[in-house]
Every structure is written in structure tokens, then in C-alpha cells.
Amino acid sequence: MFVFSDNLSEALEKLKLASTDSATDSVESCLDCLLKALANNNTEASVKIQEMGILPLLPTLLNPQSSCTPKVANIIAEVAKNEFMRSTCVEAGLIPPLIQLLNSSDQEVLLQTGRALGNICYDSQSSKEQFASTNIAEELVRLFQKQTEHEKKEMIFEVLAPLAENDLIKLQLVEAGLVECLLDVVAQTVDGEREEDIAQLKTASDLMVLLLLGDESMQKLFEGGKGSVFQRVLSWIPSHNHQLQLAGALAIANFARNDGNCIHMVDTGIVQKLLELLDRHVEEGNVTVQHAALSALRNLAIPVVNKSKMLSAGVADVVLKFLQSEMPPVQFKLLGTLRMLIDTQAEAADQLGTNGKLVERLVEWCEAKDHAGVMGESNRLLSALIRHSKSKVRASTLQGGGVKHLVTMATSEHMIMQNEALVALGLIAALDLVAAEKDFVGANLVSVLHKLLSDERSAPEIKYNSMILICAVMGSEPLHKEVQSLAFIDVVSKLRAHENKTVSHQASLTEQRLTAQS
């Protein structure tokens, strides 16, 4: 090992000298020694290269005419496998000469340059930001347009994917015409049987979805719903190819990130396409496609004007077909979609809330301790069904044993969930107190409310809704007794001085109620 270390130091010293005069042979043997050292112990050799200040010497060696260039680019690619070396590579000024090399016609130079650029920007925020100020997007797209070989395209894809995670670069790539290239790749490979066709189709469609994650790049491609790119992506959804169906549904979910786009898409009949896609996957169940299509529907259901249109199109019925799914990601999106759909839609909330199978599954998922997301969403849907519906739903929630879950939800760390739970419990207490009494006692509702009111961190809305609930449960004898035994008056009278007027006013009313009934 020591011998190896000495050899490396010697080679690095030689390289320092050799790089100033242009004696190619001596440089070449030093580079071979470096590659050997990196192959032997990459991290240690990289540290040594950094310590001896070798990286700043490399830009001069990245000469398109020099026979050393592929080896130099290979060394950079190897060094940049280490996260701690990536910003050092950028600071050493390696990016501009590497970008220039993308114009080379030498296969080996292109391969190693692609590896080097891909490794430097892999998972490194700072280097991506520095790439954004270069013309790498244009160069890569131009290079891609010239390629015919699969390997070359793959190499460029490998550099593009990490770069495209940066929003500025996403926009530059869209402006440079990458999307048209990707659509061509998809068209050429969609019916291909060869492995490389399947790989290219996946890479191109995945990259397309990645470009849509940037707000500006997404809006540019949407073009008010008239964009040719948007139209082409739509045609992927009815495709027979699972990868394209997946990319198409994810693309719609990404386009559906603002109300204007969502309203336009629902008006132009996209919902039907997504429902047909989901119907094809009830039986042949591809989980990723199910998840993507449900994500798209959930986003489309956010604007108020879309809800009734989507309900009349039969979205709820199709979504319910996935109730038997055992896959948490599908369960999570299914719940989110239904919750978005019933917001302010009383009739739909009534229908879903009296669907015994759904309520049964909700109560079961409210206990899914291993899947916090599914547990949270089922609690939120249960509460939403009660808040947006009429009496029948409260009855079916009580029968199904949903009350204890709403009480637990009131102690959630997320204020929005606490509040949703308290409002739902308030409705049950105000309208079905007799039927709910036993469940309220069993779930320790009164002591939960005492905790919420005593906790200084509770938000004003939480304090307000907890007091409303206390007043509502006073009509039940066992609950009234519990309120008296917990000295609520002390806690409530303190809240009369609360800075929030709504809270202090409700505290006065609650105190009067407690005093009158003590």
C-alpha cells in the first residue's frame, strides 16, 4: 500500500511538471498511473489528487486534439464519483472544456466526457447551479439530435437526467428543443421489441415527466392546452404500452398543478381517458399506473368547478373499484381523490358516507399504524364525509366505529387535521349526542379536549372548536360529569384573556355555560 502511495505521489509530481511542457508520452504514463491508483482505491487516490492541486492543471490537458484527452476525462469521471470532489471539479474550471469536448467525433472522448459531466452534476445542487450558467443545455440537445447510435443517446441521457432536476436547466432544455427529441424517441421505440428500445422508451418518457416538474417549463409546454406536446402526451394514455400509460398519467398529474390547467383539462374530456385507463387496470392491476392515474384525478378534482363535473362523469364509482387494493400508495391516492371530490358536495358525501364497504375500509385504514399517510388520509376522509353530508352519514360512521378514530385525529400533530376532526365531532355531538355518547366516553373525548385547551401550543381554531364541543357534550349526563371532574372552568376562564377575539368571546360563553350547569 505504501509503495502504491509513493508511486502515486511521484506520478502526481511528474504530472505537475509534464503538464507545463507538452511531452505527451510522459503525461500519458502519469495518467495511466493515476487511473490505476483510482481503480485500486478511488477515495484515497482522489484525496491525494485534491491535496496536490492536480485538478486545476487538467483543463489545459482537455485539448480536443490531444491523445491524452479520453484518459483525462476518465480520471475526472472517476474522481467525481466521490461526493466531496464534485464542487472541487467545478471550481477547478473543468466544466467549460468538458462541454466543448461534446462536439468531438471521437467515440472514446465522448463516452468519457459524458461520464465526467454526469458524475460531476450527480446529486450536487451547487454544481447544477453552475451548469445553469453555461450553454450545456443547448450543446447536449444539439449533440443528441446528431446521434444515431443507441449507446451515444444513452450516454447523453445519463448526463441530461441529473441536470434536468434543476428548474432553470429544465427550462433551458425545453427551449433548446429537447422535448421534440424525446417525442421522436418515443415514436421510434414504442413498438420495439429489442431491449434497447424498451430502455430508451423508458428513459425518454421518464425524462419528459421530469421536465414537467418545473412550473415554468410545464406551463410553456401546456400552451393553454393547445400545445402540440400536451396533445402528444395525451395520446400516450390510451396506448397499449404500460410505460407510456404511466408517463402519460404522470404528465397529466404534473400539468394539473394549477386551477386554470385543471379546468381546461376537465372541460376537454381528459377525465374519461383516465377512467378508461383505470378500468383496464382493475384486473391486470399495474400498481404504478393505478397510482399515477389516481394522482392525476386527485389534482384535477381540486378546483371547485371541476368536482360536480367529475362526479357526473362517474369518477367516484371507478375509484371505489380499487377499495380492495392492498397497496398503500394506491390506498393513499384513492382516499385523497375521494376527499377532493366530496369537498362542498353534499350529495356525493351522502352517497359515499352511506357506502358500508367504504366506511368499513376507512375504519380499518384508520388503524394502519405502519402507513402514516394512509392512516391520516382515511381519518381526513372520514371527517370530511361527516362535515359535508347530511344525517345518514353520521349514523353509518357511528355504526362503523369511526368516532374513536376522529377523537385520535383531534390529537394529530397537524393542525389542519385536528381542526377537521373537531368540526366533525362537533356536528356529531350537536346532532346525534344520544347515539354517540357511549363512543365519546370510550374514546376519552373529554380528557382529550381538556388537554387541547390546556396546551399553550394549540392554535386559536383548535381552542375555539374544543370549547364549542365542550358546550355540545354538556347535554349528556356521563359526559357532563366528566367535564365537572376535570375542572374545565379554570382552563376556560384563563382563555377569556386570549389575544384572539373569537377565542376570548367563546371562552366567556363557555364559562357561563359551565357555571350555569355546575
Side-chain angles (χ1 to χ4, degrees):
M1 195 63 223
F2 289 115
V3 178
F4 151 67
S5 185
D6 293 344
N7 285 353
L8 178 58
S9 305
E10 201 177 311
L12 291 169
E13 284 298 348
K14 270 190 195 160
L15 184 59
K16 269 185 162 172
L17 295 170
S19 66
T20 49
D21 68 40
S22 47
T24 311
D25 294 347
S26 55
V27 170
E28 199 125 2
S29 64
C30 297
L31 295 174
D32 287 336
C33 181
L34 252 68
L35 283 167
K36 212 179 217 160
L38 285 161
N40 198 334
N41 185 333
N42 190 317
T43 312
E44 198 170 312
S46 294
V47 171
K48 201 90 180 152
I49 288 170
Q50 186 180 15
E51 283 170 356
M52 298 204 41
I54 296 300
L55 291 177
L57 308 174
L58 299 183
T60 50
L61 294 173
L62 286 170
N63 180 340
Q65 276 72 50
S66 159
S67 60
C68 299
T69 301
K71 283 182 183 168
V72 178
N74 188 359
I75 287 168
I76 298 168
E78 288 301 316
V79 165
K81 283 179 177 174
N82 301 290
E83 199 177 332
F84 65 89
M85 291 297 284
R86 287 173 195 150
S87 52
T88 318
C89 288
V90 177
E91 285 150 20
L94 296 176
I95 291 177
L98 284 169
I99 290 174
Q100 285 313 306
L101 290 175
L102 291 175
N103 296 307
S104 165
S105 51
D106 181 316
Q107 299 302 316
E108 186 59 20
V109 169
L110 278 174
L111 174 71
Q112 299 303 349
T113 303
R115 284 185 60 233
L117 285 167
N119 289 353
I120 291 173
C121 68
Y122 183 76
D123 248 9
S124 159
Q125 231 17 71
S126 56
S127 60
K128 280 177 201 148
E129 277 156 26
Q130 282 158 309
F131 273 108
S133 59
T134 68
N135 62 342
I136 189 163
E138 273 171 68
E139 294 283 357
L140 285 170
V141 173
R142 214 162 41 109
L143 190 64
F144 191 89
Q145 287 160 339
K146 293 196 299 201
Q147 296 316 320
T148 48
E149 292 167 52
H150 167 70
E151 277 77 19
K152 285 284 219 11
K153 285 183 177 171
E154 276 299 312
M155 183 273 291
I156 301 169
F157 271 147
E158 277 169 30
V159 184
L160 283 170
L163 278 176
E165 284 168 16
N166 175 294
D167 279 2
L168 243 175
I169 300 178
K170 281 187 181 75
L171 193 58
Q172 292 170 359
L173 289 168
V174 168
E175 285 169 348
L178 177 62
V179 172
E180 290 67 22
C181 300
L182 297 176
L183 290 170
D184 289 346
V185 172
V186 168
Q188 289 155 16
T189 53
V190 64
D191 296 316
E193 301 285 318
R194 296 175 310 174
E195 245 175 59
E196 64 185 57
D197 287 337
I198 296 165
Q200 259 190 344
L201 178 73
K202 180 171 171 29
T203 314
S205 52
D206 283 351
L207 193 47
M208 183 77 202
V209 172
L210 182 59
L211 291 177
L212 293 173
L213 278 172
D215 287 338
E216 280 189 76
S217 47
M218 178 272 287
Q219 214 46 48
K220 193 177 173 65
L221 294 170
F222 189 66
E223 289 179 61
K226 299 185 173 51
S228 61
V229 174
F230 171 65
Q231 297 301 332
R232 292 273 288 277
V233 169
L234 265 189
S235 71
W236 293 357
I237 294 175
S239 149
H240 55 83
N241 182 302
H242 280 185
Q243 172 59 32
L244 269 198
Q245 294 169 1
L246 170 66
L250 286 173
I252 297 303
N254 283 336
F255 280 125
R257 284 211 310 278
N258 64 50
D259 283 8
N261 292 5
C262 288
I263 292 165
H264 178 86
M265 288 194 277
V266 168
D267 287 346
T268 48
I270 279 176
V271 170
Q272 218 34 61
K273 286 190 164 76
L274 289 166
L275 293 183
E276 284 161 14
L277 176 62
L278 276 172
D279 261 333
R280 289 158 68 182
H281 284 276
V282 176
E283 298 309 323
E284 55 180 297
N286 179 309
V287 174
T288 46
V289 175
Q290 291 173 359
H291 180 262
L294 288 167
S295 298
L297 287 171
R298 180 197 177 281
N299 290 0
L300 290 169
I302 292 173
V304 177
V305 292
N306 282 355
K307 298 180 195 295
S308 56
K309 293 175 187 168
M310 290 176 71
L311 286 163
S312 340
V315 172
D317 305 330
V318 174
V319 170
L320 286 170
K321 292 181 184 173
F322 294 90
L323 263 186
Q324 69 267 33
S325 170
E326 292 304 331
M327 306 307 280
V330 173
Q331 296 167 351
F332 180 72
K333 286 295 175 191
L334 168 154
L335 292 163
T337 306
L338 292 176
R339 184 165 64 82
M340 285 305 157
L341 280 173
I342 62 157
D343 193 17
T344 69
Q345 305 295 309
E347 201 179 313
D350 276 350
Q351 275 183 341
L352 288 173
T354 49
N355 175 328
K357 273 209 179 91
L358 173 62
V359 174
E360 190 182 313
R361 202 73 162 123
L362 283 183
V363 171
E364 179 189 325
W365 285 339
C366 282
E367 292 172 4
K369 299 266 189 297
D370 305 344
H371 301 289
V374 172
M375 193 161 99
E377 273 294 347
S378 28
N379 275 306
R380 292 189 76 180
L381 179 55
L382 195 60
S383 142
L385 288 168
I386 293 167
R387 295 197 324 273
H388 297 298
S389 68
K390 312 226 171 47
S391 60
K392 294 188 204 119
V393 175
R394 293 192 301 278
S396 80
T397 308
L398 290 167
Q399 278 166 353
V403 167
K404 64 176 185 206
H405 296 299
L406 290 170
V407 175
T408 307
M409 181 181 167
T411 63
S412 159
E413 66 216 36
H414 303 293
M415 191 208 60
I416 192 161
M417 286 175 66
Q418 286 183 303
N419 215 30
E420 288 170 358
L422 290 169
V423 173
L425 289 165
L427 284 167
I428 294 175
L431 302 161
D432 298 290
L433 186 57
V434 177
E437 184 179 79
K438 229 161 84 191
D439 287 341
F440 280 164
V441 172
N444 295 323
L445 172 67
V446 174
S447 68
V448 165
L449 294 172
H450 190 273
K451 274 201 196 94
L452 290 175
L453 287 172
S454 316
D455 187 345
E456 284 171 10
R457 292 165 310 179
S458 293
E461 301 89 312
I462 304 303
K463 293 201 185 315
Y464 173 79
N465 282 320
S466 297
M467 289 189 280
I468 295 275
L469 197 42
I470 284 297
C471 293
V473 300
M474 296 281 281
S476 143
E477 200 180 325
L479 292 166
H480 186 176
K481 275 188 182 147
E482 285 187 32
V483 171
Q484 284 176 314
S485 71
L486 275 172
F488 265 87
I489 286 199
D490 305 348
V491 184
V492 171
S493 61
K494 276 188 195 144
L495 291 175
R496 281 201 341 232
H498 197 279
E499 57 188 2
N500 182 300
K501 291 284 171 283
T502 318
V503 172
S504 57
H505 179 62
Q506 185 56 43
S508 300
L509 296 176
T510 308
E511 189 181 28
Q512 286 165 21
R513 183 81 191 269
L514 289 167
T515 318
Q517 290 190 266
S518 60

